[in-house]
Every structure is written in C-alpha cells, then in structure tokens.
C-alpha cells in the first residue's frame, strides 16, 4: 500500500464547501500512458508538450496523476541516468502528481542490474517496444527484461507491433510511390499487431512475468488477450480514445491533413472495430483506458509549416510523420460523454485500475478516508452541463490541433481537486492550479499484476525448466 502522507483530512478544517448539486463525484483521473519532453524516437520531431504544458493540459481535463516515460535510447547503457534526467525535467514544473515508467531501449547487463535500484526508487513499471528502429528489442532481449522484471516485481508494458512487417509494408508502399498520411495505416496492418500481441503473451507466459499490452487497437489482438486471461495468464491490456473514436477515414484526408491522426497502432478500418474495443472495456478485457498523449505540432517548423512536406514529398511521407497524438485533456470527457460505459466501470478504467496496476492505490484512484489523497473530480449534474463542439483553442496543451476537433462534448469536469486544493473550476477562473504543486510519487509494486508461481525461473540438470 502506498503510504498516506502525514496530516490527512481528519486534521484539516474545511475552508470551503462545494455543492456537487447531484453531479458525479469521483477520484481524479490517473493517466498511465503519457509522453512528455521526449527526444525524436517515433519519426521526425520532438514532443510538443513539456512537463509544464502537458500536466497543465491534464489537470484542465480532470487528470490529477500521470505516469510518463523516462526514455532510454539504444545508445545508452544505463537506466539510472535516464531516470535522473527525466526527474529534473519534471521537478517543479508539474501541475499534477507524477511518476515515471522506464522506457527500456537497451537492456544491457548494466541496465538489467539497475532494475533493483529502480524498484527501490519507487519505479515499478517499464515499457519495451517490438517495433521502431530506435527502440525495438528482439525476443531474447524481451525475455531478459521479463525475467529480471519478474524478480524485482516490476510490471512490463509492451508495445506489440511486429516491426519487420511494418518495414516490409513501408517498402512495398514506397515502391508504388504511395506516400500520403493515410498510408501510415496501410503500413501498420492489423496482422503486425495481432502477431506481436500473441508473441508477447507467449513470452510473458513462458517467464510467468506479468505484462500490460499498451494501446490495443484490433479485435484480433483483443481476442488473444481475452483468451490468455481466461487461461489465468497475468495479461493486462490498455486501450485509448483514438481506438474508440477514430477510424481509417480520419487518416484519409486531403493533402497532409491526415497527419493529425497518425499514431501507432493506427486508427483501424471502421466503426465496427471501435465497437469491439468498446465491448472490451465493458467486459474486462481492458484493464485501463489511457491517453497515450504523445503530442507533435502540425505546423512544426520555424516557418510555421510542416517539416514532412517537401518538394520531393508534397503531401509528406507517412514514414517521417512522428507517431502520436495529443489527448491527455480530452480522455475523461470523451469516454464519459460517449455514454457507453457504466459510470463505475468508467472510474475503474480511468482512475482506480491504473492506480492499482502501477502501485499508486489507494493513495490515488480511490477516495478512502485516511488513505487516499483528496484528488477529486466533480462533474456537472445533467441539467447544468451544456454540450459543446470541441475546438483546439479550448485546450491547454502546446499543440496546434486536436484530432478530436469538432466533436460534440457532452461532459467536462466542473471542478477538479488535487490533494484538497481546487485546481480547476471551469466556471470560475478555469485553471487555478499552480506549476510546481504536482509532486513525484514513489510507487509500490502493482497490486494487480502478479506472477502465478512462487520461486525463481531456472533450467535444471535433468533438462527441465521452470520455477524452483
Ligand atoms: O503513436 C504512438 N503511440 N506514439 C507514442 C509512442 C508509443 O509507442 O506509445
Ligand atoms: Zn507504444
Ligand atoms: Zn505511447
Ligand atoms: Zn509507423
């Protein structure tokens, strides 16, 4: 259990009473998948949001705690330097509470030996990639990570796409001179995700090391996950609003416009795919709903034009478009406003489960007297919420577009509190929180993701292998 800081609510005197007037009151949002201030890893371009602007955007959409990435590059040997550098970027800059997942780009012997220290420093999760030249691990490296992560009670997040399939498809498209943003979708076919998901599940099962498959987008991948879960294998899964609301048609826009919806995995074929992902949220296949906030500017170069658009590639070249979209501020409102999730399920997916999965519960993701921080979202009662069309200018990130432009928003948090302080009051001042109020949280091991067996994995003289 994450310890509650001294001086809890029972010692405090209320300075203000807020009448929720019948609106939902729930724990603040916990976003378990956020990229801020990262170097170019996913195409041409660096993150548009730093810790200040990204966490500002978060709090204005009701998210009070985030876990972002400390990215280790392939060329780096150590994880601890990466962690320190990321901590320095975040320190004194955040509007909300935060922690980091280590993004392991090079599981060197040294890096693996540092898992123990990570754990002691309250870093209890990491992410690995099966694609992207800059980050891709081979299956042996994945086993190295899974084995050591299991030993140290660290949860491994997996980006499951088969990089070789993507590279092969990219070459096929280039041969045919097909470069527009929509071909990003073609270059990341469902089979790349489905195959890698199945492989990740098998490797996880082999090591009995729990994993969370991030940003799941295909019905086939969801089916593999569900089947593994039904066999008792500790497989957890995440999806994101982009796989609930966007489809191929959002990529298929004239000129470079489709670049606004380029992410990996890409938005899938049709609404029927989105429906299956919605079903997976309701039926428990997905443990968490995160934003995968990974923002880049559309007009990203010094002239306010697009870096990817050149004389050679007048509509850009899909392979250079940085993968990722902004969504930390819209995650909660889009999901609740769609009216497709039971409200308790909504809280579980967007707050309680991410807190449990990443060792933050019950400090976060709950409202338990004496145990939880007073991180609270208060929503409008139905008669007071006026729906509106989303415009990017309403948002608080440092991005010049939102992929959800023009959507009808039926919900938005009315008040948000972080550790008892009103940090968002939509009708009276909007953002009231302050940069630097957000603090680093030392996390415990996951209270959800646990191995099935006791003991350590080994190979024995009689030729058998498994757990001692
Ligand atoms: O397109 C995406 N998802 N960009 C962010 C990087 C990642 O793999 O999560
Ligand atoms: Zn990813
Ligand atoms: Zn991501
Ligand atoms: Zn790509």
């Amino acid at each position: 259990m994450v310890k509650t800081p001294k001086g809890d609510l029972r010692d405090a005197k209320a300075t203000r009473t807020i009448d929720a007037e019948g609106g939902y009151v729930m724990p603040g949002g916990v976003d378990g998948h956020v990229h801020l201030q990262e170097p170019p890893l996913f195409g041409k371009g660096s993150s548009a949001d730093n810790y200040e602007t990204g966490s500002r955007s978060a709090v204005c959409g009701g998210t009070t705690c985030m876990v972002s990435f400390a990215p280790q590059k392939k060329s780096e040997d150590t994880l601890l330097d990466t962690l320190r550098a990321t901590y320095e970027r975040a320190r004194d800059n955040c509007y909300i509470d935060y922690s980091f997942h280590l993004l392991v780009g090079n599981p060197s012997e040294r890096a693996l030996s540092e898992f123990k220290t990570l754990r002691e420093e309250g870093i209890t999760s990491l992410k690995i990639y099966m694609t992207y030249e800059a980050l891709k691990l081979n299956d042996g490296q994945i086993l190295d990570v899974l084995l050591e992560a299991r030993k140290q009670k660290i949860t491994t997040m997996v980006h499951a796409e088969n990089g070789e399939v993507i590279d092969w498809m990219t070459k096929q498209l280039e041969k045919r001179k097909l470069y527009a943003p929509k071909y990003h979708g073609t270059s990341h076919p469902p089979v790349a995700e489905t195959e890698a998901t199945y492989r990740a599940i098998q490797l996880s099962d082999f090591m009995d090391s729990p994993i969370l498959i991030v940003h799941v987008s295909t019905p086939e991948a969801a089916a593999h996950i569900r089947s593994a879960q039904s066999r008792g294998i500790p497989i957890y899964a995440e999806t994101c609003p982009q796989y609930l609301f966007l489809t191929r048609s959002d990529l298929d826009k004239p000129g470079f416009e489709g670049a606004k919806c380029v992410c990996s995995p890409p938005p899938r074929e049709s609404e029927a795919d989105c429906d299956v992902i919605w079903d997976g949220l309701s039926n428990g296949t997905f443990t968490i709903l995160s934003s995968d906030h990974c923002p880049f500017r559309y007009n990203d170069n010094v002239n306010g034009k697009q870096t990817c658009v050149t004389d050679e590639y007048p509509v850009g070249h899909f392979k250079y478009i940085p993968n990722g979209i902004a969504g930390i501020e819209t995650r909660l409102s889009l999901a609740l406003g769609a009216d497709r999730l039971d409200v308790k399920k909504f809280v579980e997916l967007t707050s309680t489960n991410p807190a449990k999965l990443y060792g933050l519960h019950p400090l976060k993701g709950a409202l338990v007297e004496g145990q939880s921080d007073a991180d609270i979202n208060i929503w409008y009662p139905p008669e007071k919420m006026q729906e509106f069309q989303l415009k990017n200018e309403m948002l608080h990130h440092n991005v010049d577009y939102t992929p959800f432009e023009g959507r009808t928003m039926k919900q938005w948090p009315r008040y948000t509190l972080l550790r008892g302080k009103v940090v968002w009051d939509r009708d009276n001042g909007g953002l009231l929180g302050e940069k630097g109020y957000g603090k680093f949280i030392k996390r415990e091991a996951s209270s959800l993701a646990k191995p099935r067996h006791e003991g350590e994995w080994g190979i024995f003289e009689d030729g058998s292998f498994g757990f001692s």
Side-chain angles (χ1 to χ4, degrees):
M1 184 201 291
V2 178
K3 299 262 169 2
T4 305
K6 290 244 172 334
D8 59 39
L9 268 183
R10 286 169 296 195
D11 309 324
K13 291 210 167 33
T15 53
R16 179 178 170 194
T17 305
I18 298 174
D19 185 352
E21 298 182 294
Y24 292 126
V25 177
M26 47 178 86
V30 178
D31 196 337
H33 190 151
V34 179
H35 303 263
L36 297 172
Q37 235 168 313
E38 287 183 9
L41 292 167
F42 316 113
K44 275 189 184 177
S46 306
S47 308
D49 275 318
N50 57 23
Y51 275 86
E52 177 181 344
T53 62
S55 66
R56 179 182 71 198
S57 185
V59 73
C60 298
T63 289
T64 49
C65 185
M66 65 180 173
V67 192
S68 62
F69 293 98
Q72 180 211 24
K73 290 189 211 143
K74 253 195 179 139
S75 58
E76 294 165 346
D77 195 34
T78 162
L79 298 170
L80 298 180
D81 290 354
T82 311
L83 178 62
R84 304 268 175 274
T86 308
Y87 183 66
E88 285 310 313
R89 282 178 214 128
R91 194 158 64 109
D92 298 332
N93 284 323
C94 290
Y95 284 82
I96 64 171
D97 290 349
Y98 57 93
S99 178
F100 311 113
H101 310 287
L102 244 298
L103 197 168
V104 181
N106 177 18
S108 63
E109 279 201 21
R110 176 162 172 202
L112 292 167
S113 74
E114 290 171 343
F115 280 21
K116 190 166 183 299
T117 314
L118 289 181
R119 181 72 181 71
E120 287 158 7
E121 302 222 352
I123 304 296
T124 55
S125 51
L126 54 83
K127 182 178 177 189
I128 56 172
Y129 283 78
M130 299 168 84
T131 183
Y132 292 121
E133 211 36 56
L135 298 166
K136 184 169 87 181
L137 304 191
N138 63 37
D139 293 353
Q141 291 173 308
I142 294 173
L143 292 175
D144 280 341
V145 169
L146 289 173
L147 185 60
E148 192 56 30
R150 180 184 192 277
K151 233 184 251 172
Q152 303 301 340
K153 298 191 170 57
I154 288 177
T155 305
T156 303
M157 307 156 78
V158 183
H159 180 129
E161 282 187 292
N162 180 320
E164 307 227 348
V165 170
I166 293 167
D167 291 346
W168 188 84
M169 284 297 280
T170 300
K171 286 191 190 122
Q172 296 299 316
L173 288 157
E174 286 179 316
K175 270 192 210 162
R176 294 165 175 79
K177 298 198 179 340
L178 302 174
Y179 302 123
K182 70 175 174 185
Y183 298 113
H184 168 74
T186 317
S187 70
H188 290 62
V191 64
E193 183 178 343
T194 307
E195 185 280 330
T197 299
Y198 184 71
R199 182 156 38 105
I201 291 169
Q202 295 302 310
L203 298 179
S204 155
D205 189 24
F206 181 39
M207 287 292 110
D208 185 33
S209 186
I211 57 170
L212 170 98
I213 313 240
V214 292
H215 46 49
V216 174
S217 74
T218 68
E220 298 79 7
H224 279 311
I225 290 162
R226 193 151 176 80
S227 151
Q229 289 167 340
S230 70
R231 283 176 280 135
I233 304 172
I235 303 293
Y236 298 84
E238 169 202 83
T239 193
C240 314
Q242 38 277 39
Y243 309 113
L244 302 171
F245 294 99
L246 302 179
T247 61
R248 188 176 172 79
S249 65
D250 293 287
L251 278 172
D252 191 3
K253 296 269 169 68
F256 192 58
E257 193 68 16
K260 292 179 176 174
C261 293
V262 165
C263 53
S264 285
R268 294 301 179 187
E269 197 57 38
S270 67
E271 275 180 30
D273 294 306
C274 299
D275 286 343
V276 175
I277 303 301
W278 276 110
D279 289 345
L281 286 171
S282 295
N283 71 23
T285 306
F286 296 110
T287 319
I288 61 174
L289 177 69
S290 312
S291 68
D292 192 7
H293 182 79
C294 187
F296 301 95
R297 293 179 73 86
Y298 184 71
N299 296 310
D300 63 335
N301 77 15
V302 280
N303 306 317
K305 298 244 166 58
Q306 302 95 34
T307 304
C308 286
V309 174
T310 59
D311 290 342
E312 189 182 4
Y313 302 117
V315 289
H317 184 322
F318 66 86
K319 81 172 179 188
Y320 297 127
I321 301 171
N323 292 191
I325 59 180
I328 201 167
E329 193 167 343
T330 44
R331 174 183 70 124
L332 297 175
S333 300
L334 280 170
L336 187 63
D339 247 337
R340 293 181 67 150
L341 291 172
D342 171 79
V343 73
K344 285 190 191 139
K345 195 73 188 168
F346 167 79
V347 176
E348 184 181 299
L349 288 160
T350 58
S351 177
T352 310
N353 276 357
K356 287 182 177 171
L357 186 73
Y358 296 129
L360 291 158
H361 191 266
L363 185 69
K364 304 296 184 187
L367 292 173
V368 182
E369 194 187 335
Q371 293 184 33
S372 307
D373 279 342
D375 298 356
I376 302 172
N377 272 335
I378 303 173
W379 299 79
Y380 288 90
E383 69 280 6
K384 294 233 163 147
M385 177 69 215
Q386 294 198 336
E387 61 180 52
F388 65 94
Q389 309 312 122
L390 183 70
K391 292 197 179 78
N392 188 55
E393 67 203 38
M394 297 168 176
L395 301 175
H396 300 76
H397 53 199
N398 183 38
V399 189
D400 53 357
Y401 73 94
T402 164
F404 305 110
E405 183 77 27
R407 298 226 166 220
T408 301
M409 305 301 292
K410 296 189 173 162
Q411 294 281 3
W412 202 273
R414 186 180 188 184
Y415 304 97
T416 300
L417 281 73
L418 173 54
R419 283 181 270 111
K421 208 170 124 114
V422 179
V423 286
W424 170 252
D425 181 342
R426 186 159 174 259
D427 302 316
N428 295 291
L431 175 64
L432 303 179
E434 279 161 29
K435 165 180 142 166
Y437 182 61
K439 61 176 194 192
F440 175 77
I441 313 242
K442 232 178 146 170
R443 295 186 282 128
E444 303 281 329
S446 177
S447 56
L448 278 187
K450 293 185 178 149
R452 285 197 285 179
H453 306 277
E454 303 277 318
E456 289 211 358
W457 191 89
I459 300 179
F460 310 106
E461 255 179 52
D462 67 357
S464 65
F465 53 83
F467 297 89
S468 55

